[in-house]
Amino acid sequence: MATNIPLEHRLISKPQLMELLSWSESSIDRRLREDLDFPRPVRLGPHTVRWRLADVLDFIDSLPLAEEEWR
């Protein structure tokens, strides 16, 4: 597998998304239903979806920082 694929073209699976965000599958499914800002998957086939890694990283960067009392 090519490792020099540009970041904006890399795709990740749902298990990889779960690991990257440290979220459960149900949390991701809920975000997909309720949060219009959550990255949308792309469909590769009838039963295959992936997320653009660049979109997911942008989403992570957009999350608010924890308040001082949480640190």
Side-chain angles (χ1 to χ4, degrees), residues 4-16:
N4 47 350
I5 298 171
L7 182 67
E8 62 271 13
H9 296 295
R10 290 187 189 183
L11 300 175
I12 61 172
S13 65
K14 193 174 204 179
Q16 291 171 313

Side-chain angles (χ1 to χ4, degrees), residues 35-48:
D35 186 352
L36 296 178
D37 293 328
F38 190 72
R40 291 325 209 217
V42 294
R43 184 161 297 284
L44 300 180
H47 304 288
T48 305

Side-chain angles (χ1 to χ4, degrees), residues 13-55:
S13 65
K14 193 174 204 179
Q16 291 171 313
L17 179 64
M18 291 166 53
E19 182 178 347
L20 187 61
L21 295 174
S22 298
W23 288 357
S24 67
E25 185 170 10
S26 61
S27 293
I28 290 172
D29 291 343
R30 184 172 45 258
R31 285 287 183 133
L32 284 169
R33 284 191 311 273
E34 299 174 1
D35 186 352
L36 296 178
D37 293 328
F38 190 72
R40 291 325 209 217
V42 294
R43 184 161 297 284
L44 300 180
H47 304 288
T48 305
V49 295
R50 296 288 185 269
W51 281 259
R52 290 182 181 98
L53 180 57
D55 292 347

